[in-house]
Amino acid sequence: MRFWAFLSYSWSDRPKAVALHRRLEKFVIPRHARHAADPEGPAGRRLRPIFRDDDEMAPSGPLAERLRTAIDEAPAMILLASPASARSHYVNLEVEHFLSGHDPKRLVIIVTGADRPAKPELPPALDRVEDPLWLDARGARKLTRRNLVRVAAVVLDVGFEALWRRHVRYRRQLTALWCALALVVGTVVGMAIVRQLDAEKRSPEQQRAQFVEWMTNNTNAVGLPVDEVKLNITRVDDLDNDGLMEFFVVNETEGYCGSGGCVALVYRTVSPGDYEVVLELLGASTSRVRQAADGSKEVIFSDLSVSREPLYSVYTLRGGKFQLKHHEFCDGLNFEVCTQPMVITPIPWERAPSVEKGTPPLERPSADARVVRIGAGGSTFEGGDYDLEAKGMAQGGEWYLVEVWKGSCGFVPASAVGPHK
């Protein structure tokens, strides 16, 4: 056989026939009934193909050869019965041809229409069939699921009850599968939305707004007027590569800056809305961030100077805080073009060596260098009877960096540096 069934209908019932044909061909055949009608039948899981003629024919004339062949190659017939099909010449010929070579039990009649008389109108060819099987679909928009399975049972030539039970089980399994799929999709979509919202919360702009709100709340908490507090956020950067921003803040509030400059702080974001200070410097100016060889980020401040030229202090994150790594002296060159700076290793204050009193600190590690200039007027440093503070040792150990006055520094030779006091 080439078709599971032949669908016969009047051209005026075409919309209903198209809808029924679509539903029938979507019907999933249970495994036990798949070859019940004919082992040589159409392959596949669904009740497909079902023959439906889509050509409008003349009001009278013999049945076309292709229609007779299609009826012969289909073991069952589905008749869409209505007053129009009962008067249709071709519908009657199709039914008549089917009955001439098939068992009447393989003919299922679906009665449509608006009225419900005791007996439906049927083509004359059915007058000789005793108690034909018909399903009442009058007044309904479409065939009920139970009646759809009845049609499939006739087409497949299997018992209705067994087919219905299997169909109900299949529908339950399909519903469970769809529910599980919907749950998975819902979970995935939900997670995507959560990630999107989290990403929005973690955007630099949003994090900056959260930090400003936090600073404002802190200012209110200590009783300071917000309009009198000036906290300047000079930089926002992710220093520890965790997706959370760090904030560089200079407190420019009146009364908080002195002759040594203003306080600069770096806040690390523990979590959005929770922050801690990881670096605090006095008199620091422009901040910079660069990538280190190991992939970490270094923070550079020019918190020291030599004859009013910046001396760069490099900090790295260690133990949750930014610790001083070394100083870089560029001898007057701008930081961005200083490719080979002199590296000065810091000396902890508790191990700082003493410097011979009266030793003039110089502008650079050179015996013929000038004495450092300090102060707003750039006056030459005047030595006195007091100790200089050694802050670091230059490469080679021949020169030391000393702090002269409020961040102003200079260099002294190693010969003027004694042991730790």
Side-chain angles (χ1 to χ4, degrees):
M1 69 179 189
R2 290 178 54 201
F3 308 103
W4 282 111
F6 184 98
L7 178 58
S8 180
Y9 64 98
S10 168
W11 184 256
S12 60
D13 296 327
R14 182 177 179 275
K16 292 182 179 179
V18 170
L20 176 63
H21 183 260
R22 186 179 297 117
R23 288 186 69 196
L24 285 170
E25 287 204 333
K26 288 181 179 179
F27 185 85
V28 177
I29 308 170
R31 190 181 302 276
H32 83 286
R34 201 160 293 169
H35 300 292
D38 188 342
E40 303 290 329
R45 298 176 61 245
R46 300 186 183 274
L47 202 61
R48 182 188 303 141
I50 291 177
F51 183 90
R52 180 181 67 81
D53 185 32
D54 204 26
D55 293 333
E56 186 175 10
M57 294 174 286
S60 61
L63 193 63
E65 179 63 30
R66 64 183 182 82
L67 296 180
R68 289 198 300 271
T69 301
I71 294 171
D72 292 339
E73 293 181 345
M77 173 175 280
I78 303 165
L79 171 61
L80 198 58
S82 68
S85 67
R87 294 187 293 271
S88 170
H89 170 72
Y90 277 101
V91 169
N92 190 64
L93 288 179
E94 289 169 354
V95 174
E96 189 174 52
H97 185 76
F98 177 81
L99 293 175
S100 67
H102 297 76
D103 186 346
K105 293 181 180 180
R106 304 297 299 279
L107 170 65
V108 59
I109 304 166
I110 302 171
V111 180
T112 63
D115 300 328
R116 283 180 175 269
K119 189 175 181 180
E121 294 183 64
L122 300 175
L126 289 171
D127 291 345
R128 61 186 179 88
V129 178
E130 185 178 354
D131 296 328
L133 173 64
W134 60 277
L135 305 174
D136 197 343
R138 288 172 291 185
R141 189 174 61 87
K142 64 179 182 179
L143 204 61
T144 65
R145 186 164 297 280
R146 192 174 182 87
N147 279 340
L148 186 72
V149 177
R150 290 185 187 277
V151 173
V154 173
V155 172
L156 295 169
D157 196 23
V158 296
F160 165 72
E161 292 299 334
L163 186 62
W164 174 249
R165 285 194 300 271
R166 289 178 180 266
H167 179 74
V168 169
R169 187 186 312 154
Y170 167 76
R171 294 291 299 181
R172 287 173 179 168
Q173 292 172 345
L174 188 62
T175 301
L177 178 62
W178 277 110
C179 288
L181 183 60
L183 180 61
V184 171
V185 172
T187 301
V188 172
V189 171
M191 291 175 63
I193 293 174
V194 169
R195 283 196 296 267
Q196 176 65 24
L197 292 174
D198 186 58
E200 290 176 1
K201 287 181 180 179
R202 287 172 172 255
S203 69
E205 296 78 11
Q206 184 68 22
Q207 291 191 52
R208 182 188 180 99
Q210 290 172 332
F211 180 69
V212 170
E213 181 182 3
W214 177 81
M215 284 200 305
T216 303
N217 292 337
N218 275 9
T219 301
N220 288 327
V222 297
L224 294 175
V226 175
D227 57 348
E228 295 181 10
V229 175
K230 187 177 180 182
L231 298 174
N232 183 19
I233 301 176
T234 60
R235 188 184 187 93
V236 178
D237 208 316
D238 181 8
L239 300 178
D240 50 6
N241 299 317
D242 63 350
L244 299 174
M245 297 294 111
E246 275 64 57
F247 301 90
F248 295 66
V249 179
V250 177
N251 188 349
E252 298 176 349
T253 305
E254 185 177 354
Y256 281 78
C257 297
S259 60
C262 299
V263 175
L265 304 105
V266 178
Y267 287 87
R268 185 178 76 88
T269 304
V270 179
S271 62
D274 184 13
Y275 310 92
E276 66 175 359
V277 176
V278 291
L279 183 59
E280 181 175 354
L281 298 171
L282 177 64
S285 58
T286 307
S287 60
R288 296 172 173 84
V289 175
R290 71 182 179 191
Q291 198 85 12
D294 61 358
S296 63
K297 291 182 178 179
E298 297 175 336
V299 177
I300 299 97
F301 278 100
S302 52
D303 54 332
L304 303 174
S305 64
V306 176
S307 288
R308 302 186 62 79
E309 291 291 340
L311 181 70
Y312 303 101
S313 300
V314 181
Y315 295 85
T316 57
L317 188 63
R318 293 197 300 267
K321 299 286 184 180
F322 274 91
Q323 307 289 340
L324 179 62
K325 180 183 178 184
H326 60 255
H327 303 285
E328 293 183 4
F329 178 60
C330 290
D331 200 6
L333 291 177
N334 186 277
F335 181 81
E336 281 69 26
V337 298
C338 182
T339 57
Q340 293 182 322
M342 173 182 286
V343 176
I344 301 167
T345 305
I347 301 173
W349 66 269
E350 68 273 10
R351 292 194 287 108
S354 60
V355 179
E356 184 179 335
K357 291 179 180 181
T359 302
L362 305 178
E363 288 183 329
R364 58 184 53 82
S366 173
D368 59 350
R370 292 188 302 180
V371 176
V372 296
R373 290 162 291 166
I374 61 173
S379 59
T380 302
F381 169 73
E382 295 180 4
D385 191 23
Y386 54 85
D387 294 328
L388 295 177
E389 181 183 347
K391 297 186 67 69
M393 182 176 64
Q395 286 175 329
E398 297 179 2
W399 290 87
Y400 281 79
L401 178 72
V402 295
E403 184 171 13
V404 179
W405 179 75
K406 292 185 178 180
S408 293
C409 299
F411 294 92
V412 295
S415 59
V417 177
H420 171 61
K421 293 185 295 182

